[in-house]
Amino acid sequence: MPVTLGIGGSGGTHPGLQKAVDAFGADGATRASYGMEMANEILKSNPAEEGRIRMVVMFTDGEPGYMGFDASSGQQYYDQAVTEANNAIKQAYTTKNTYGAYVYAIGLYESAGVEATSDVAYYMNALSSNYLSAQSMDDIKAP
């Protein structure tokens, strides 16, 4: 699938970008914590400039871990997903509270609707700036 750039109103392809996109592969786990950790390293290395808003957009195409929050795949996979989700949320806490950046969490999931009380919803909301003090999914779950 060609990568089209819309720069200055003109569309076209860029061979270097196309080659980079074509090299992507899907294998293994979804590790948002690594992405958030990398964002924090960038924020740490680049001090805030007055008058500029800092933000991180965390874009994911999957639930955390190897099998996501699907408990039918086995308890160990579910537990691994929760651990990965909470690691990402802890990194997002640092992003929001240490580096003063807004976090926008965008997810593309197989099902069209995500229930407000699902683990996916808790995960994505706790990552985002909707919950500045969240350090785990449990921090935003209703008692």
Side-chain angles (χ1 to χ4, degrees), residues 4 30 40 51 69 97 104:
T4 304
T30 298
N40 286 336
F69 297 114
N97 294 284
Y104 296 91

Side-chain angles (χ1 to χ4, degrees), residues 19-37:
K19 184 177 179 181
V21 171
D22 289 344
F24 285 138
D27 186 32
T30 298
R31 301 307 273 271
S33 63
Y34 292 149
M36 293 303 300
E37 185 178 347

Side-chain angles (χ1 to χ4, degrees), residues 5-134:
L5 303 174
I7 301 172
S10 65
T13 60
H14 186 279
L17 181 59
Q18 184 68 53
K19 184 177 179 181
V21 171
D22 289 344
F24 285 138
D27 186 32
T30 298
R31 301 307 273 271
S33 63
Y34 292 149
M36 293 303 300
E37 185 178 347
M38 290 172 66
N40 286 336
E41 288 299 318
I42 291 168
L43 292 167
K44 180 180 177 181
S45 299
N46 296 280
E49 295 180 26
E50 189 173 329
R52 293 197 175 218
I53 297 172
R54 301 178 105 191
M55 70 178 67
V56 172
V57 179
M58 196 286 293
F59 193 91
T60 183
D61 65 347
E63 295 178 25
Y66 289 97
M67 304 299 283
F69 297 114
D70 181 7
S72 69
S73 297
Q75 189 65 41
Q76 77 271 17
Y77 289 114
Y78 177 81
D79 292 345
Q80 192 274 333
V82 170
T83 298
E84 173 57 26
N86 287 332
N87 288 341
I89 292 164
K90 286 176 191 164
Q91 288 293 328
Y93 176 86
T94 300
T95 306
K96 298 177 275 191
N97 294 284
T98 300
Y99 301 114
Y102 292 99
V103 177
Y104 296 91
I106 302 168
L108 300 177
Y109 295 99
E110 196 171 314
S111 62
V114 174
E115 297 296 323
T117 57
S118 70
D119 285 330
V120 172
Y122 289 130
Y123 164 60
M124 295 298 285
N125 275 293
L127 272 172
S128 77
S129 288
N130 292 345
Y131 294 90
L132 295 176
S133 62

